[in-house]
Amino acid sequence: MEYAAKSGNPEKQRVACVIVGVFDYRRLSEAAEALDKASGGVISAVLRRGDLDGKANQTLLLHNLPHTLCDRVLLVGCGKEREFDGVRYREVLRTALKALRQCSARDGFSYLASLPVRGHDLGWKLRETVLASEALAYRFRAAKDDEGRDARLRSLTMGVDSRRTLEEAENHLRTAEAIAAGTLMARHLGNLPPNVCTPTYLAEQALALAAADPAVTAKILETADMEALGMGALLSVARGSRQPPKLIVLEYGADRDETRPIALVGKGVTFDSGGISLKPGAAMDEMKFDMCGAASVLGTFKAVSQMKLPIHLVGIVPASENLPDGNASKPGDIVTSMAGKTIEILNTDAEGRLLLCDALTYARRYEPEVIIDIATLTGACVIALGHHASGLYSNDATLAKALLAAGEATGDRAWQMPLWPEYQKALDSNFADMANVGGREGGSITAACFLWRFVEDQRWAHLDIAGTAWKSGKDKGATGRPVPLLVEYLMQQVARA
Ligand code: BES
Ligand code: MN
Ligand code: ZN
């Protein structure tokens, strides 16, 4: 899809479909008003007949409006004007873009971004448009016959108020395309079947990112390298698998070495059967999504590299399968992590923290400004927060606040959970420095506490994305979250510097 910005009157646009908003009750937006005038009152006559009141998410497609150059006009209900906020904008946008894709228009021209939205600027509105449009255009299978009509739309132009904002708008669109590309990359990696998306495949994706941009470097640590580093926790997860584990190390903007990097660490379990502590069979296929943390790191690198964000970023992905096998870890096994702390593995299904603890220790070598880890870590987080918010834990209030704000701004929201030392007791072990599980109660919190033991005073945040990284049911598929949150956070860091 191609995106552009253009100023000018709606009746003068020579396109297949112009999109304009109508507020409740029968109140035309500026662009709708212009079309109504040009056509001699056709739109107001249609509204008077009662075919559309302007209630949120109503749509009506009009053809061949007199004295206009477009083939169609799509009227979209925006609800009450004073209730038109960011959430409503997003909803209405999605409705409009869906309707646009359903007609056979090859190009669209939307005036929705010129509607004032409380608390949001033009950049935000354009970004949301591109992200929503790209999300709707994405299909896991590139060519599915029954959705052939979808393939028609090729370009979307956004009407902006004046020529003076055009250049700014084009810049916003390029940024938005980069975020969308990163989000879709994460989504696609998540959706790939686990016999394709193995640790080796993830490593290849990292190498491809590096090959495409001289600002990105990728280094892959193999089993022997990890053995030399003493990553006993990470390696214990891979013991039950025929697929070799990989520790993927990405770096972007390393020439900005005067700045300490921001480090992203993403859980990359390409399939989580639970190991010897085998999961029940129902919906086990969804454990192919257990690498969505890793995917979000790769996707964020993709976005940052495409938009050439001036930042120094390190990405670390411990990648492995978690399978049962004669050689797999057993409940009761004790392993020694890279940090030297010993761990009693009471449940082989709590494998994410075993990978992450060594990856976090490794990340500290870069003396990062902050470390953010992203992981589909616990089913308990889904019980606590459902599917709308990612669980956020942090030992640093400033970092937590910035991540929460980035989530709000993008709609890719997080909710802060308690990281209190009181919860640490649950991880006590009679046989090692700690156990890898802390019981059912507060399961997402004790998992975060486990990771905390390995970052200590290093500024750090942990995003438990078990509830947000993918959808189940008839819409089953990865979401690409939390790439929008992460990129927004990084952009904010650049803006602040
Ligand atoms: N990848 C899972 C977490 C998960 C489960 C995410 C279901 C989304 C849906 C993780 O490795 C895991 O198995 N966690 C266990 C931890 C438990 C053994 C303490 C869990 O949540 O059951
Ligand atoms: Mn598990
Ligand atoms: Zn897992």
Side-chain angles (χ1 to χ4, degrees):
M1 277 281 291
E2 285 192 22
Y3 301 94
K6 207 173 156 199
S7 64
N9 304 337
E11 69 276 16
K12 305 261 174 63
Q13 306 305 334
R14 197 178 291 280
V15 289
C17 186
V18 168
I19 304 174
V20 295
V22 178
F23 290 104
D24 192 10
Y25 181 84
R26 302 184 185 177
R27 290 217 342 90
L28 300 182
S29 62
E30 217 174 286
E33 185 79 58
L35 288 173
D36 190 45
K37 270 226 182 84
S39 65
V42 171
I43 297 181
S44 32
V46 166
L47 297 196
R48 251 181 279 119
R49 271 183 209 147
D51 289 1
L52 182 126
D53 302 326
K55 290 206 172 43
N57 301 311
Q58 291 178 328
T59 58
L60 188 64
L61 195 60
L62 306 176
H63 292 262
N64 305 326
L65 233 64
H67 311 296
T68 65
L69 297 180
C70 56
D71 300 336
R72 309 168 185 76
V73 168
L74 177 66
L75 302 179
V76 192
C78 298
K80 294 253 189 287
E81 196 163 4
R82 65 184 145 69
E83 290 170 6
F84 197 65
D85 58 4
V87 176
R88 177 59 57 77
Y89 180 80
R90 230 179 241 130
E91 206 182 292
V92 164
L93 190 63
R94 233 182 96 81
T95 304
L97 293 173
K98 264 192 182 163
L100 175 65
R101 299 187 69 80
Q102 266 158 23
C103 72
S104 43
R106 283 184 172 277
D107 51 354
F109 196 116
S110 167
Y111 281 90
L112 296 179
S114 57
L115 299 173
V117 183
R118 214 184 321 119
H120 294 290
D121 59 11
L122 179 68
W124 182 88
K125 288 185 282 188
L126 296 176
R127 231 155 37 229
E128 289 297 324
T129 310
V130 173
L131 255 72
S133 168
E134 287 295 295
L136 285 170
Y138 171 80
R139 291 280 174 279
F140 176 69
R141 289 204 282 160
K144 228 173 148 184
D145 295 349
D146 54 335
E147 283 154 11
R149 285 175 73 94
D150 274 6
R152 291 242 182 145
L153 193 66
R154 287 284 172 271
S155 81
L156 183 62
T157 304
M158 285 159 239
V160 297
D161 295 335
S162 74
R163 281 176 161 279
R164 271 175 295 120
T165 45
L166 274 182
E167 195 187 321
E168 185 202 333
E170 287 289 344
N171 291 337
H172 286 309
L173 290 175
R174 300 295 84 83
T175 302
E177 284 168 348
I179 303 171
T183 307
L184 287 192
M185 180 188 185
R187 194 169 156 193
H188 195 66
L189 287 172
N191 284 338
L192 284 172
N195 57 337
V196 172
C197 187
T198 58
T200 301
Y201 186 89
L202 288 178
E204 285 164 4
Q205 298 310 301
L207 292 169
L209 284 173
D213 179 357
V216 179
T217 58
K219 162 169 92 178
I220 312 299
L221 304 195
E222 307 291 340
T223 303
D225 305 315
M226 293 185 266
E227 273 166 0
L229 287 165
M231 296 183 157
L234 193 166
L235 288 169
S236 77
V237 178
R239 294 175 59 89
S241 163
R242 304 279 172 100
Q243 292 290 336
K246 306 279 172 179
L247 184 71
I248 301 164
V249 183
L250 279 163
E251 193 164 359
Y252 168 85
D255 50 327
R256 297 183 192 88
D257 53 10
E258 73 282 7
T259 58
R260 295 166 68 192
I262 291 176
L264 303 177
V265 178
K267 173 178 172 181
V269 176
T270 60
F271 189 77
D272 180 12
S273 72
I276 296 297
S277 312
L278 194 65
K279 286 181 181 298
M284 204 204 265
D285 66 290
E286 296 190 11
M287 282 299 117
K288 73 173 183 178
F289 295 119
D290 211 16
M291 37 55 70
C292 284
S296 76
V297 172
L298 294 170
T300 299
F301 267 77
K302 166 109 187 158
V304 161
S305 133
Q306 190 170 323
M307 69 171 77
K308 299 187 166 41
L309 197 68
I311 200 164
H312 183 189
L313 198 62
V314 168
I316 304 203
V317 169
S320 174
E321 290 184 327
N322 184 25
L323 293 179
D325 174 82
N327 201 38
S329 291
K330 303 167 289 297
D333 282 2
I334 294 178
V335 296
T336 305
S337 61
M338 181 182 172
K341 298 179 205 284
T342 57
I343 303 162
E344 185 186 14
I345 301 174
L346 288 180
N347 190 323
T348 64
D349 198 9
E351 84 296 341
R353 61 198 80 180
L354 296 173
L355 294 179
L356 288 170
C357 70
D358 281 343
L360 289 168
T361 302
Y362 187 82
R364 290 180 73 176
R365 293 191 157 190
Y366 289 84
E367 297 182 3
E369 185 65 35
V370 303
I371 302 180
I372 302 167
D373 80 70
I374 308 104
T376 49
L377 203 60
T378 64
C381 188
V382 191
I383 302 302
L385 295 174
H387 297 283
H388 296 292
S390 303
L392 169 71
Y393 297 86
S394 183
N395 58 5
D396 184 277
T398 312
L399 174 59
K401 207 173 145 217
L403 290 169
L404 290 171
E408 282 304 325
T410 53
D412 184 5
R413 288 189 289 183
W415 191 257
Q416 194 169 5
M417 303 278 284
L419 188 73
W420 295 337
E422 286 85 341
Y423 288 100
Q424 288 286 8
K425 273 200 288 297
L427 295 169
D428 284 349
S429 159
N430 286 347
F431 302 101
D433 292 335
M434 69 196 86
N436 79 326
V437 292
R440 272 167 51 80
E441 296 164 4
S444 174
I445 305 172
T446 53
C449 281
F450 182 95
L451 302 179
W452 190 13
R453 292 178 181 225
F454 293 85
V455 288
E456 301 172 316
D457 292 334
Q458 159 75 50
R459 293 180 69 205
W460 157 79
H462 157 60
L463 286 165
D464 193 332
I465 58 166
T468 53
W470 77 91
K471 292 181 179 158
S472 310
K474 84 167 189 359
D475 292 329
K476 179 152 66 182
T479 59
R481 292 178 68 180
V483 172
L485 179 158
L486 292 170
V487 178
E488 175 72 17
Y489 166 75
L490 296 174
M491 286 170 61
Q492 288 301 329
Q493 294 313 107
V494 170
R496 210 157 295 159

